[in-house]
Amino acid sequence: MKHQFLLFVSSFSLVLCDLASYLRERENFLENENSRFLGSNLELTSSESLVNDYLMNLKYAELDYGFATADFMQSQNFLISKPKYDSSQVFQFIKQMPKGGAIHVHDTAITNLDFLVANVTYRDNLFMCLVDNKINFRFAATKPDDTADCIWSSVSESRQNSGNVEEFDEAIYRNLTLVVPDPFSEYPNINAVWSSFQKYFVTSGGLICYEPVFRDYFYKGLEEFYEDNVQYMEIRTTLPTIYRLDGSVLSDFQAMLTYEEVFAKFKADHPDFSGAKIIYAPSRKVTEETVYDYISLATVLKRSFPDLMAGFDLVGQEDLGVPLIEFLEPILSGQTESDLKYFFHAGETQWNGMSTDLNIIDALLLNATRIGHGYAIAKHPLAIELAKNRNVPIEVCPLSNQVLMLVSDLRNHPATILMADNFPVIISSDDPPVWNASALSYDYYAAFMAMTSRNTDIRFLKQISYNSLFYSTLDGDSKAEAISLFEQKWDIFIQSFLKRILPSFVSYN
Amino acid sequence: MKHQFLLFVSSFSLVLCDLASYLRERENFLENENSRFLGSNLELTSSESLVNDYLMNLKYAELDYGFATADFMQSQNFLISKPKYDSSQVFQFIKQMPKGGAIHVHDTAITNLDFLVANVTYRDNLFMCLVDNKINFRFAATKPDDTADCIWSSVSESRQNSGNVEEFDEAIYRNLTLVVPDPFSEYPNINAVWSSFQKYFVTSGGLICYEPVFRDYFYKGLEEFYEDNVQYMEIRTTLPTIYRLDGSVLSDFQAMLTYEEVFAKFKADHPDFSGAKIIYAPSRKVTEETVYDYISLATVLKRSFPDLMAGFDLVGQEDLGVPLIEFLEPILSGQTESDLKYFFHAGETQWNGMSTDLNIIDALLLNATRIGHGYAIAKHPLAIELAKNRNVPIEVCPLSNQVLMLVSDLRNHPATILMADNFPVIISSDDPPVWNASALSYDYYAAFMAMTSRNTDIRFLKQISYNSLFYSTLDGDSKAEAISLFEQKWDIFIQSFLKRILPSFVSYN
């Protein structure tokens, strides 16, 4: 088989010439391709480039480790792999990095569960009962009346009588978290995990919706995001019923005032926070008549709280809810009557061509300002074009999609494909405490490691941070201020990172 | 909250007018979108439409069942869900349907394992030994010499002495198949499943590469595909060493002659079979010098067997093999010297931006005629454009990708996104017996149910069948004949299906 070497010796220059032109063509191709990913239009300063080199070395090392060991945390369920995230240096970098806004999160799932267990359940006047093996909580001046389903007892007494306070608190924690030792057997399918997920909102609701807790919970939630270097939030709320010790409840107007007060206090305490807004997002499992009510309320709230109220959405497991097409008339009326902005959850599904999937089309045609999740949009080339032309971003929540079983290996997340072609994407975190994440960094990190190319660099992280402000509902001046604040924070981060870290980095290279 | 009804009564005609125009716009959008999926350009005859209605009712029923129960077989590992496939009526339909060609399969994995266990291991002169707990087989006139690793024994004697023939045969079967009761614990990651997968080729190789078995195995393999209504094949081969009872081995030339003879005999026995070709596809885990040898051999074989020999490829776990960029010179020389056609495995990976992923770029720039798997191409928008412009299809093997752990829920397979936008895709089956599939129907079925929209219909199935012939290496006349034969078979299928099935279908609707 050696005879071909003579052949190639004689044609060597020809081959080399071909090879050189091949390599040029390849280089051009890769450059062209690299100019298309989300963030590739940004130009880095020399300081940013140095930090980027540092970051990329960490990214390469983690990818190489994952490749060599086939132990790649982002391809494993976050319910199991979370400790690996915490020990990642890339993750630690991203935690310190300014990240702009968190604009797809839900109000009763923004604060760590420890706050609920270790703080809220230790407050006075809390009662509990077991319904269907799940804990219901209620604050009340005196023990609420028992019903056939629900025999109330004092939490403090029950804790004392339990004989094992640690185990008692652990049991409460287990009633709130989705984290289990073996998610694959615990959640055999998407409906099973959604069922547990929704129980969180029932159990936590009794704790969070007590007025004094409500204020503290939000303040604490804002603080957690702020400490994670998030400067702005848009928070979806169902406007749950907020109650007082005497059993009286807040009106929707009073609830909005409460948000406004908490946000104002937080901003006063943290002048470098750009604020927070509310998206009214009640359950989608309702009749058209109820959606008329929703839209009417949203319109009133928008008029009363023009700065606080960003717009309208519908929530709940989309596959088992009512699709947008059933609500066209009230939704269209909301736009014609009052210029309400829409932020519909749409396409949070794998069921290609079924009603949830088609929500993508309706969300776009109904002029949604942004699309929540939009997981299914990648299967709709025309919708991709329309969203790009109208500059409608999707709010991608990678860990939520993984934990709620749309995708197991995050490298298969369809937003990977969209982001490779500069589709407008925002990364957010949905309900981080329910799966033992927190704030925003875990999702930024997951996206950076699993949903971009090996060579995709800090420009991607800066771009998704920009996007979270650029596509926010902050108006002209506020938006410019927020972006300017972000850039200040970014520059400080880059400079202080260089000062703190680079000397040791250089010395080890 | 009822006051808005007055509002809407007064503006009812306005809303209705908006609604009507909205619904028109939506209808247009969906029509436009439906004109973009793979196969949407085909027009159905009225007979085809009737059969299509029948098929679509079955598809809807299966999707609705999957949706209602969250028990959707294509989102479950085929190693477990295979019995569900067999009981599907859509699958039974697709089995009967003419499917064109199977043009991405590997020579030593085309025939059911039962043939190896129940037929081949019962032949005379077979010996076995255990190496690293895996069975090695060898046919020989007398017992081969033992080595430190390998103590040979007669299979027939061992079977007799085992005391339990059924368990003995079952143990052989277990040494060949990837099917295990709990694939998730048995194969914790992609390298683990690939390791077992590659052991199949070692164990089966000793059986298949014995010359008389070799002929029978291929004839039987062709028969299985033929009975699955496949009319044409392109088969990748490493040109393994084929041996005789006396220990002598066939030259590569003799091996090619053997293929030629088996294919010719099969075609003589089955006049409505369009034939089979060979793609020489040796291991990619080699040096550049070896690839020069490969290319040289491929060139000689192409000259000697111009009809039989379709072209060249490299095989083996791509992530752990050598990337194409290491072999540019021999590969470029093969094209300039001898016009060799390439069918590279490329992008069978999740590692975005790493060497296997970049094989996609090299395969395209090296003018591959088709790309094997091409799983990663969806993450490369420029590669998608180039492939579309040059009309280079990818050979997608859904069940292989699932079993070999690129994707768990086939609805996340990236070819879904490509096929929604009319990217040229061929569906094939890779190594079906290793995961207890067979021939081609399982993969067509998986693609139809999980990788298309709910409303994607028989035109998709007809188009992928067309594609398997259109993108084959059959030359002008042969290709026209094969396509014409396919159309005859298709018409007969449609007509006979209508005759047999439609009366009962109509009466039940």
Side-chain angles (χ1 to χ4, degrees), chain A residues 1-2 4 8 22 26 29 33 36 67 289 293 296 319 325 333 350-353 361-362 375 379-380 385 406 408 411-412 453-454, chain B residues 1-4 8 22 26 29 33 36 67 289 293 319 325 333 350-353 361-362 375 379-380 385 406 408 411-412 417 453-454:
Chain A
M1 244 22 118
K2 299 287 172 225
Q4 88 287 354
F8 287 116
Y22 179 86
R26 187 183 200 268
F29 187 98
E33 185 178 77
R36 288 171 78 148
F67 182 84
E289 190 181 335
D293 291 348
S296 173
D319 278 337
I325 191 155
S333 76
Q350 281 289 15
W351 292 106
N352 191 354
I361 314 298
D362 286 303
Y375 187 91
K379 293 174 182 171
H380 296 276
E385 287 168 17
L406 284 184
S408 56
R411 294 173 297 181
N412 275 323
S453 178
R454 176 177 171 85
Chain B
M1 249 12 123
K2 299 287 173 229
H3 58 86
Q4 87 289 354
F8 287 117
Y22 180 87
R26 186 182 201 269
F29 188 98
E33 186 178 77
R36 287 172 78 147
F67 182 84
E289 190 181 335
D293 290 348
D319 278 337
I325 191 157
S333 76
Q350 280 289 16
W351 292 106
N352 191 353
I361 313 299
D362 286 302
Y375 187 90
K379 294 175 182 170
H380 295 276
E385 286 169 18
L406 284 185
S408 54
R411 294 173 296 180
N412 275 324
I417 292 166
S453 179
R454 176 177 171 86

Coordinates of all heavy atoms in Angstrom, one line a residue, chain A residues 1-2 4 8 22 26 29 33 36 67 289 293 296 319 325 333 350-353 361-362 375 379-380 385 406 408 411-412 453-454, chain B residues 1-4 8 22 26 29 33 36 67 289 293 319 325 333 350-353 361-362 375 379-380 385 406 408 411-412 417 453-454:
Chain A
M1 N 0.8 -1.2 0.0 CA 0.0 0.0 0.0 C 0.9 1.3 0.0 O 0.4 2.3 0.4 CB -0.8 0.0 1.3 CG -2.3 -0.1 1.2 SD -3.1 -0.7 -0.2 CE -3.9 -2.0 0.7
K2 N 2.1 1.2 -0.2 CA 3.0 2.3 -0.1 C 3.2 3.0 -1.5 O 3.8 4.1 -1.5 CB 4.4 2.0 0.5 CG 4.3 1.3 1.9 CD 4.0 2.4 2.9 CE 3.7 1.8 4.3 NZ 2.6 2.3 5.0
Q4 N 1.4 4.8 -3.3 CA 0.9 6.1 -3.5 C 1.8 7.2 -3.1 O 1.6 8.4 -3.4 CB -0.5 6.2 -2.8 CG -0.4 6.7 -1.4 CD 0.1 5.6 -0.5 OE1 0.3 4.5 -0.9 NE2 0.3 5.9 0.8
F8 N 2.4 11.0 -4.6 CA 2.2 12.3 -3.9 C 3.4 13.1 -3.8 O 3.4 14.3 -3.7 CB 1.6 12.0 -2.5 CG 0.2 11.6 -2.6 CD1 -0.3 10.4 -2.2 CD2 -0.8 12.5 -3.2 CE1 -1.6 10.0 -2.3 CE2 -2.1 12.1 -3.3 CZ -2.5 10.9 -2.9
Y22 N -7.3 25.8 0.7 CA -8.3 25.2 1.6 C -8.4 25.9 2.9 O -9.4 26.3 3.4 CB -8.1 23.7 1.7 CG -9.1 23.1 2.6 CD1 -10.3 22.6 2.1 CD2 -9.0 23.0 4.0 CE1 -11.3 22.1 2.9 CE2 -9.9 22.5 4.8 CZ -11.1 22.0 4.2 OH -12.1 21.5 5.1
R26 N -11.3 27.9 4.8 CA -11.8 27.4 6.1 C -11.8 28.6 7.1 O -12.7 28.8 7.8 CB -10.9 26.3 6.5 CG -11.4 25.6 7.8 CD -10.5 24.5 8.2 NE -11.1 23.5 9.1 CZ -11.0 23.6 10.4 NH1 -10.4 24.6 11.0 NH2 -11.6 22.6 11.2
F29 N -14.5 31.0 6.4 CA -15.7 30.4 6.8 C -15.9 30.6 8.3 O -17.0 31.1 8.8 CB -15.8 28.9 6.4 CG -17.1 28.3 6.7 CD1 -18.0 28.2 5.6 CD2 -17.5 27.9 7.9 CE1 -19.3 27.6 5.8 CE2 -18.8 27.3 8.1 CZ -19.6 27.1 7.1
E33 N -18.7 32.7 10.3 CA -19.6 32.1 11.2 C -19.5 32.7 12.6 O -20.5 33.0 13.3 CB -19.2 30.6 11.3 CG -20.2 29.8 12.2 CD -19.9 28.3 12.3 OE1 -19.0 27.9 13.0 OE2 -20.6 27.6 11.6
R36 N -21.6 35.7 13.6 CA -23.1 35.6 13.7 C -23.6 35.3 15.0 O -24.9 35.3 15.2 CB -23.5 34.5 12.7 CG -23.4 35.1 11.2 CD -23.7 34.0 10.2 NE -25.1 33.7 10.0 CZ -25.6 33.4 8.9 NH1 -24.8 33.2 7.8 NH2 -26.9 33.1 8.8
F67 N -15.3 16.9 28.5 CA -15.1 16.0 27.4 C -14.3 14.8 27.8 O -14.6 13.6 27.4 CB -14.3 16.8 26.3 CG -14.1 16.0 25.0 CD1 -15.0 15.9 24.0 CD2 -12.8 15.3 24.8 CE1 -14.8 15.2 22.9 CE2 -12.6 14.6 23.7 CZ -13.6 14.5 22.7
E289 N -64.4 34.6 29.5 CA -65.0 35.6 30.4 C -64.0 36.1 31.4 O -63.9 37.3 31.7 CB -66.3 35.1 31.0 CG -67.1 36.2 31.7 CD -68.3 35.6 32.3 OE1 -68.8 34.5 31.9 OE2 -68.8 36.2 33.3
D293 N -62.1 39.8 32.3 CA -61.9 40.4 33.6 C -60.4 40.7 33.8 O -60.1 41.8 34.3 CB -62.4 39.4 34.7 CG -63.9 39.2 34.7 OD1 -64.6 40.0 34.1 OD2 -64.3 38.3 35.4
S296 N -59.4 43.7 31.8 CA -60.0 44.9 32.3 C -59.2 45.4 33.6 O -58.9 46.5 33.7 CB -61.5 44.6 32.7 OG -62.0 45.7 33.4
D319 N -49.1 23.4 28.4 CA -49.7 22.2 27.7 C -51.1 21.9 28.3 O -52.0 21.4 27.6 CB -48.8 21.0 27.9 CG -47.7 21.0 26.9 OD1 -47.8 21.6 25.8 OD2 -46.7 20.3 27.1
I325 N -55.4 31.1 21.4 CA -56.4 31.3 20.4 C -57.8 31.3 21.0 O -58.7 31.9 20.4 CB -56.3 30.2 19.3 CG1 -57.2 30.6 18.1 CG2 -56.6 28.8 19.8 CD1 -56.8 30.0 16.8
S333 N -58.8 43.1 22.3 CA -59.5 44.3 22.9 C -58.5 45.1 23.8 O -58.5 46.3 23.8 CB -60.8 43.9 23.6 OG -60.4 43.4 24.9
Q350 N -42.9 20.6 24.0 CA -42.3 19.7 23.0 C -43.3 19.2 21.9 O -43.0 18.5 21.0 CB -41.7 18.4 23.7 CG -40.4 18.7 24.3 CD -39.3 18.8 23.3 OE1 -39.5 19.1 22.1 NE2 -38.1 18.7 23.8
W351 N -44.6 19.6 22.1 CA -45.6 19.0 21.3 C -45.8 19.9 20.0 O -46.7 20.7 19.9 CB -46.9 18.9 22.1 CG -46.9 17.9 23.2 CD1 -46.8 18.1 24.5 CD2 -46.9 16.5 23.0 NE1 -46.7 16.9 25.2 CE2 -46.8 15.9 24.3 CE3 -47.0 15.6 21.9 CZ2 -46.8 14.5 24.5 CZ3 -47.0 14.2 22.1 CH2 -46.9 13.7 23.4
N352 N -45.0 19.5 19.1 CA -44.9 20.3 17.8 C -46.2 20.3 17.0 O -46.7 19.2 16.7 CB -43.8 19.6 17.0 CG -43.3 20.3 15.7 OD1 -43.9 21.3 15.4 ND2 -42.3 19.8 15.1
G353 N -46.7 21.5 16.8 CA -48.0 21.6 16.0 C -49.2 21.5 16.8 O -50.3 21.6 16.3
I361 N -47.1 31.3 17.5 CA -47.7 32.0 16.4 C -48.6 33.1 16.9 O -48.5 34.3 16.4 CB -48.4 31.1 15.4 CG1 -47.7 29.8 15.1 CG2 -48.8 31.9 14.1 CD1 -46.3 30.0 14.4
D362 N -49.5 32.8 17.8 CA -50.4 33.8 18.3 C -49.7 34.9 19.1 O -50.1 36.0 18.9 CB -51.5 33.1 19.1 CG -52.5 32.4 18.2 OD1 -53.1 33.0 17.3 OD2 -52.7 31.1 18.3
Y375 N -39.7 28.2 23.8 CA -38.9 27.0 23.5 C -39.1 26.5 22.1 O -38.2 26.0 21.4 CB -39.2 26.0 24.6 CG -38.3 24.8 24.6 CD1 -37.1 24.7 25.3 CD2 -38.6 23.7 23.8 CE1 -36.3 23.6 25.3 CE2 -37.8 22.6 23.8 CZ -36.7 22.5 24.5 OH -35.9 21.4 24.5
K379 N -38.7 25.5 15.9 CA -39.4 24.6 14.9 C -40.2 25.4 14.0 O -40.9 24.7 13.1 CB -40.2 23.6 15.7 CG -39.3 22.6 16.5 CD -40.1 21.7 17.4 CE -39.2 20.8 18.2 NZ -39.9 20.0 19.2
H380 N -40.2 26.7 14.0 CA -41.1 27.5 13.2 C -40.3 28.6 12.4 O -40.1 29.7 12.9 CB -42.2 28.2 14.0 CG -43.1 27.2 14.7 ND1 -44.2 26.7 14.0 CD2 -43.1 26.6 15.9 CE1 -44.9 25.9 14.8 NE2 -44.2 25.8 15.9
E385 N -38.3 34.3 11.6 CA -38.1 35.4 10.7 C -38.9 36.6 11.2 O -38.4 37.8 11.3 CB -38.5 35.1 9.3 CG -37.4 34.2 8.6 CD -38.0 33.7 7.3 OE1 -39.0 34.2 6.7 OE2 -37.4 32.7 6.8
L406 N -38.2 19.7 29.7 CA -38.3 19.9 28.2 C -37.1 19.3 27.5 O -37.1 18.9 26.4 CB -38.5 21.4 27.9 CG -39.9 22.0 28.1 CD1 -39.9 23.4 27.6 CD2 -40.9 21.1 27.4
S408 N -33.1 17.4 28.5 CA -32.2 16.8 29.6 C -30.8 17.4 29.4 O -30.2 17.9 30.4 CB -32.3 15.3 29.6 OG -32.0 14.8 28.4
R411 N -27.2 21.1 26.1 CA -26.6 21.3 24.7 C -27.6 21.1 23.6 O -27.4 21.5 22.5 CB -25.4 20.4 24.6 CG -24.2 20.8 25.5 CD -23.1 19.9 25.5 NE -23.5 18.5 25.9 CZ -22.7 17.5 26.0 NH1 -21.4 17.6 25.7 NH2 -23.1 16.3 26.4
N412 N -28.7 20.4 24.0 CA -29.8 20.2 23.0 C -30.8 21.3 23.1 O -31.8 21.3 22.3 CB -30.5 18.9 23.2 CG -29.8 17.7 22.5 OD1 -29.3 17.9 21.4 ND2 -29.8 16.6 23.1
S453 N -21.0 28.0 21.5 CA -19.8 27.3 21.0 C -18.6 27.4 22.0 O -18.6 28.3 22.8 CB -19.4 27.8 19.7 OG -18.3 27.2 19.2
R454 N -17.7 26.5 21.9 CA -16.5 26.5 22.8 C -15.9 27.9 22.7 O -15.4 28.4 23.7 CB -15.5 25.5 22.3 CG -14.2 25.5 23.0 CD -13.3 24.3 22.4 NE -11.9 24.3 22.8 CZ -11.5 23.8 24.0 NH1 -12.4 23.2 24.8 NH2 -10.2 23.8 24.3
Chain B
M1 N -66.2 43.1 38.4 CA -65.3 43.1 37.3 C -66.1 42.9 36.0 O -65.6 42.5 35.0 CB -64.3 41.9 37.4 CG -62.9 42.2 37.6 SD -62.2 43.7 38.0 CE -61.4 43.1 39.5
K2 N -67.4 43.1 36.0 CA -68.2 42.8 34.8 C -68.4 44.1 34.0 O -69.0 44.0 32.9 CB -69.6 42.3 35.3 CG -69.5 41.0 36.0 CD -69.1 39.8 35.1 CE -68.9 38.5 35.9 NZ -67.7 37.8 35.6
H3 N -67.9 45.2 34.5 CA -68.2 46.5 33.8 C -67.7 46.5 32.3 O -68.2 47.2 31.5 CB -67.7 47.7 34.5 CG -66.2 47.6 34.8 ND1 -65.3 48.1 33.9 CD2 -65.5 47.1 35.8 CE1 -64.1 47.9 34.3 NE2 -64.2 47.3 35.5
Q4 N -66.7 45.7 32.1 CA -66.1 45.8 30.7 C -67.0 45.2 29.7 O -66.8 45.4 28.5 CB -64.7 45.1 30.7 CG -64.7 43.6 30.4 CD -65.3 42.8 31.6 OE1 -65.5 43.4 32.6 NE2 -65.5 41.6 31.4
F8 N -67.5 46.3 25.7 CA -67.3 45.4 24.6 C -68.5 45.2 23.7 O -68.4 45.0 22.6 CB -66.7 44.1 25.0 CG -65.2 44.2 25.4 CD1 -64.8 44.0 26.7 CD2 -64.3 44.7 24.5 CE1 -63.5 44.2 27.0 CE2 -63.0 44.9 24.8 CZ -62.6 44.6 26.1
Y22 N -57.6 39.2 12.0 CA -56.6 38.5 12.7 C -56.5 37.0 12.2 O -55.5 36.4 11.9 CB -56.8 38.5 14.2 CG -55.8 37.7 15.0 CD1 -54.6 38.3 15.4 CD2 -56.0 36.3 15.3 CE1 -53.6 37.5 16.0 CE2 -55.0 35.6 15.9 CZ -53.8 36.2 16.3 OH -52.9 35.5 16.9
R26 N -53.6 34.9 10.5 CA -53.1 33.7 11.1 C -53.1 32.5 10.1 O -52.2 31.8 10.0 CB -54.0 33.4 12.3 CG -53.5 32.2 13.2 CD -54.5 32.0 14.3 NE -53.9 31.2 15.4 CZ -53.9 29.9 15.5 NH1 -54.5 29.2 14.6 NH2 -53.4 29.3 16.6
F29 N -50.4 32.9 7.7 CA -49.1 32.5 8.3 C -48.9 31.0 8.4 O -47.9 30.5 8.0 CB -49.1 33.1 9.8 CG -47.8 33.0 10.4 CD1 -46.9 34.0 10.5 CD2 -47.4 31.8 11.0 CE1 -45.6 33.9 11.1 CE2 -46.2 31.6 11.7 CZ -45.3 32.7 11.7
E33 N -46.2 28.8 6.5 CA -45.3 27.9 7.3 C -45.4 26.4 6.8 O -44.4 25.8 6.7 CB -45.7 28.0 8.8 CG -44.7 27.2 9.7 CD -45.0 27.3 11.1 OE1 -46.0 26.7 11.6 OE2 -44.4 28.1 11.8
R36 N -43.3 25.1 4.0 CA -41.8 25.0 4.1 C -41.3 23.7 4.7 O -40.1 23.5 4.7 CB -41.3 26.2 5.1 CG -41.5 27.5 4.4 CD -41.2 28.6 5.3 NE -39.8 28.8 5.6 CZ -39.3 30.0 5.8 NH1 -40.0 31.1 5.8 NH2 -38.0 30.1 6.1
F67 N -49.9 12.7 24.5 CA -50.2 14.0 25.2 C -51.0 13.7 26.5 O -50.6 14.3 27.6 CB -50.9 15.0 24.3 CG -51.2 16.3 24.9 CD1 -50.2 17.3 24.9 CD2 -52.4 16.6 25.6 CE1 -50.4 18.5 25.5 CE2 -52.6 17.8 26.1 CZ -51.6 18.8 26.1
E289 N -0.7 8.9 7.6 CA -0.1 8.0 6.6 C -1.1 6.9 6.3 O -1.3 6.5 5.1 CB 1.1 7.4 7.3 CG 2.0 6.6 6.3 CD 3.2 6.0 6.9 OE1 3.7 6.5 8.0 OE2 3.7 5.0 6.4
D293 N -3.0 5.6 2.8 CA -3.2 4.2 2.3 C -4.7 4.0 2.0 O -5.0 3.4 1.0 CB -2.8 3.2 3.4 CG -1.3 3.2 3.6 OD1 -0.6 3.8 2.7 OD2 -0.8 2.6 4.6
D319 N -16.1 11.7 18.4 CA -15.5 12.5 19.5 C -14.1 12.0 19.9 O -13.2 12.7 20.3 CB -16.4 12.5 20.7 CG -17.5 13.5 20.6 OD1 -17.4 14.5 19.8 OD2 -18.5 13.4 21.3
I325 N -9.7 17.5 9.9 CA -8.6 18.5 9.6 C -7.2 17.9 9.7 O -6.3 18.4 9.1 CB -8.8 19.8 10.6 CG1 -7.8 20.9 10.0 CG2 -8.4 19.4 12.0 CD1 -8.2 22.2 10.5
S333 N -6.1 15.1 -1.8 CA -5.5 14.4 -2.9 C -6.4 13.4 -3.6 O -6.5 13.2 -4.8 CB -4.2 13.7 -2.4 OG -4.6 12.5 -1.7
Q350 N -22.3 16.5 20.6 CA -22.9 17.6 21.3 C -21.8 18.7 21.7 O -22.2 19.7 22.3 CB -23.5 17.1 22.6 CG -24.8 16.4 22.5 CD -25.9 17.4 22.2 OE1 -25.6 18.5 21.8 NE2 -27.1 17.0 22.4
W351 N -20.6 18.4 21.4 CA -19.5 19.3 21.8 C -19.3 20.5 20.8 O -18.5 20.4 20.0 CB -18.2 18.6 22.0 CG -18.3 17.6 23.2 CD1 -18.4 16.2 23.1 CD2 -18.3 17.9 24.6 NE1 -18.5 15.7 24.4 CE2 -18.4 16.7 25.3 CE3 -18.2 19.1 25.3 CZ2 -18.4 16.7 26.7 CZ3 -18.2 19.1 26.7 CH2 -18.3 17.9 27.4
N352 N -20.1 21.5 21.0 CA -20.2 22.7 20.1 C -18.9 23.4 20.0 O -18.4 23.9 21.1 CB -21.3 23.6 20.7 CG -21.7 24.7 19.8 OD1 -21.1 24.9 18.7 ND2 -22.8 25.4 20.2
G353 N -18.4 23.5 18.8 CA -17.1 24.2 18.6 C -15.9 23.4 18.8 O -14.8 23.9 18.7
I361 N -17.9 21.5 9.2 CA -17.3 22.6 8.3 C -16.4 21.9 7.3 O -16.5 22.2 6.1 CB -16.5 23.6 9.1 CG1 -17.3 24.1 10.3 CG2 -16.1 24.8 8.2 CD1 -18.6 24.7 10.1
D362 N -15.5 21.0 7.8 CA -14.5 20.4 6.8 C -15.3 19.5 5.9 O -14.9 19.5 4.7 CB -13.5 19.7 7.6 CG -12.5 20.7 8.3 OD1 -11.9 21.4 7.5 OD2 -12.3 20.7 9.5
Y375 N -25.4 15.7 12.9 CA -26.2 16.2 14.1 C -26.0 17.6 14.5 O -26.9 18.3 14.8 CB -25.9 15.2 15.3 CG -26.8 15.4 16.4 CD1 -28.0 14.7 16.6 CD2 -26.5 16.3 17.5 CE1 -28.8 14.9 17.7 CE2 -27.3 16.5 18.5 CZ -28.5 15.8 18.7 OH -29.3 16.0 19.7
K379 N -26.3 23.9 14.6 CA -25.7 25.0 15.4 C -24.8 25.8 14.5 O -24.1 26.7 15.0 CB -24.9 24.4 16.5 CG -25.8 23.7 17.6 CD -25.0 22.9 18.7 CE -25.9 22.2 19.6 NZ -25.2 21.3 20.5
H380 N -24.8 25.6 13.2 CA -23.9 26.3 12.3 C -24.7 26.9 11.2 O -24.8 26.3 10.1 CB -22.8 25.4 11.7 CG -21.9 24.9 12.8 ND1 -20.8 25.6 13.2 CD2 -21.9 23.7 13.5 CE1 -20.2 24.9 14.2 NE2 -20.8 23.8 14.4
E385 N -26.6 27.1 5.4 CA -26.8 27.8 4.1 C -26.0 27.2 3.0 O -26.4 26.9 1.9 CB -26.4 29.3 4.3 CG -27.4 30.1 5.0 CD -26.9 31.5 5.4 OE1 -25.9 31.9 4.8 OE2 -27.5 32.1 6.3
L406 N -27.0 11.0 22.1 CA -26.9 12.4 21.8 C -28.1 13.2 22.2 O -28.1 14.4 22.5 CB -26.7 12.6 20.2 CG -25.3 12.3 19.7 CD1 -25.3 12.6 18.2 CD2 -24.3 13.1 20.4
S408 N -32.1 12.5 24.2 CA -33.0 11.5 24.9 C -34.4 11.6 24.3 O -35.0 10.6 23.9 CB -33.0 11.7 26.4 OG -33.3 13.0 26.8
R411 N -38.0 14.5 20.2 CA -38.6 15.8 19.8 C -37.5 16.9 19.9 O -37.8 18.0 19.3 CB -39.8 16.1 20.6 CG -40.9 15.1 20.3 CD -42.1 15.3 21.3 NE -41.7 15.0 22.7 CZ -42.5 15.1 23.7 NH1 -43.8 15.4 23.5 NH2 -42.1 14.8 24.9
N412 N -36.4 16.7 20.6 CA -35.4 17.7 20.7 C -34.3 17.4 19.6 O -33.3 18.1 19.6 CB -34.7 17.6 22.0 CG -35.4 18.4 23.1 OD1 -35.9 19.5 22.8 ND2 -35.4 18.0 24.3
I417 N -35.7 20.8 13.4 CA -35.7 22.2 13.1 C -35.3 22.4 11.6 O -35.9 23.2 10.9 CB -34.7 23.0 14.0 CG1 -35.3 23.0 15.4 CG2 -34.4 24.4 13.5 CD1 -34.3 23.3 16.5
S453 N -44.1 18.2 12.7 CA -45.3 18.8 13.3 C -46.4 17.8 13.3 O -46.5 16.9 12.5 CB -45.6 20.1 12.6 OG -46.8 20.7 13.1
R454 N -47.4 18.0 14.2 CA -48.6 17.2 14.2 C -49.2 17.1 12.9 O -49.7 16.0 12.5 CB -49.6 17.8 15.2 CG -50.9 17.2 15.3 CD -51.8 17.9 16.4 NE -53.2 17.5 16.4 CZ -53.6 16.4 17.1 NH1 -52.8 15.7 17.8 NH2 -54.9 16.1 17.0

